[in-house]
Amino acid sequence: MTEGLDATVDEMGDVAERRNELAARVRTHAGTIARELAVFEGGDYGQETFETDTGTWTLKYEAGDVQYLRYDPNSGSEVYVVSSKQPPEPEALETAMADYEAFVAAYNEYARSAAGLLEDVPDEFPAVESTAELVAERDRIVDRIRDVGDAMASELHRFEGEYGTYATTVSGTRWELKWDGDVAAYLRVGGSDGVYLLSQYSPPSATDVRRFASDVTAFVDAFNEHVDDLEADLSHVAFDERT
């Protein structure tokens, strides 16, 4: 009943060690291809497929290193020659390695075919026109609008309070000036989703300045009429000390 227990068990450690050494060398070698592909493709990750006479090789890479190298033979099961999990079975690795040189040759052919890819691409381009003068003119106009807005803010601060908003309609469009002390916090045209001719952030585009700058005068005129109306109303107020 115990005859089999005395039989000699052949050790497979040498085979496993050889398999691990070979898999490590393949990872290092395929890593060179992965880095070349990453540089060529211009990304940190990706994958390429290469055809050989006996199967298909897929190399997936990330950050210039191999994520996996898979061999899918024309007949038989696919083999992950390199993976982040367990190493392949020795027989499967042997099958794949019989075609590994053909895989490298397929990659080299791919690399050589790309060598002249940019030969006919021009490397001289038309001169780029400067927008410096346009920007300077935009800024000059916006500075004038800022001067007017701050002047209005100063008046509003004087007779309306520390902060608030003044709004009116110009050419069918809402204009709103918000003041904070003696300074215009913003001048917005067109409601909450409108254009900020003045703001605490970036200046308006030159196109928006062209659209609305001509209406600033009408906005100021409307403000002045508002002030005149206030003064007229205040002039009618009487205080009778006897009451």
Side-chain angles (χ1 to χ4, degrees):
M1 299 290 290
T2 61
E3 293 175 358
L5 296 177
D6 296 327
T8 302
V9 176
D10 292 336
E11 296 182 356
M12 302 187 67
D14 291 344
V15 176
E17 184 177 353
R18 170 63 178 157
R19 185 270 314 276
N20 293 342
E21 289 177 355
L22 183 57
R25 290 181 61 192
V26 172
R27 174 180 283 278
T28 300
H29 189 269
T32 302
I33 298 176
R35 286 187 289 276
E36 292 295 329
L37 288 172
V39 171
F40 176 70
E41 296 293 343
D44 288 336
Y45 59 89
Q47 72 176 40
E48 287 293 338
T49 300
F50 303 92
E51 301 287 340
T52 67
D53 291 339
T54 63
T56 302
W57 290 79
T58 302
L59 176 64
K60 183 177 182 180
Y61 57 91
E62 183 172 344
D65 195 13
V66 181
Q67 289 296 293
Y68 66 72
L69 176 62
R70 185 179 64 224
Y71 174 57
D72 188 6
N74 293 335
S75 62
S77 301
E78 63 182 18
V79 182
Y80 281 83
V81 181
V82 177
S83 77
S84 59
K85 301 177 181 179
Q86 63 187 31
E89 295 292 332
E91 284 190 20
L93 179 60
E94 183 180 17
T95 299
M97 291 309 298
D99 195 55
Y100 186 79
E101 186 175 349
F103 156 63
V104 177
Y107 161 76
N108 286 338
E109 183 179 353
Y110 171 79
R112 284 192 295 268
S113 68
L117 187 63
L118 301 178
E119 285 183 355
D120 297 329
V121 176
D123 58 1
E124 295 183 3
F125 309 102
V128 177
E129 292 291 337
S130 172
T131 61
E133 291 186 8
L134 176 62
V135 169
E137 181 65 8
R138 185 272 312 273
D139 291 346
R140 185 189 69 80
I141 296 172
V142 171
D143 285 345
R144 289 290 298 116
I145 297 174
R146 168 68 64 183
D147 290 342
V148 171
D150 286 347
M152 295 170 67
S154 179
E155 294 301 321
L156 289 164
H157 175 219
R158 183 172 63 84
F159 63 77
E160 292 283 8
E162 182 66 25
Y163 58 87
T165 58
Y166 164 75
T168 190
T169 299
V170 177
S171 301
T173 302
R174 178 182 173 85
W175 286 57
E176 181 177 277
L177 176 74
K178 180 179 180 180
W179 77 90
D180 189 350
D182 290 334
V183 176
Y186 67 71
L187 174 58
R188 185 173 64 203
V189 183
S192 59
D193 295 326
V195 173
Y196 285 82
L197 287 181
L198 299 176
S199 79
Q200 299 173 336
Y201 305 102
S202 59
S205 69
T207 303
D208 288 333
V209 171
R210 178 181 176 85
R211 285 173 61 198
F212 297 114
S214 59
D215 285 333
V216 172
T217 297
F219 176 62
V220 175
D221 288 342
F223 172 77
N224 287 335
E225 291 179 7
H226 172 67
V227 173
D228 290 342
D229 290 342
L230 281 176
E231 290 180 345
D233 290 342
L234 291 173
S235 66
H236 297 159
V237 173
F239 178 66
D240 189 347
E241 293 183 357
R242 294 172 297 176
T243 61

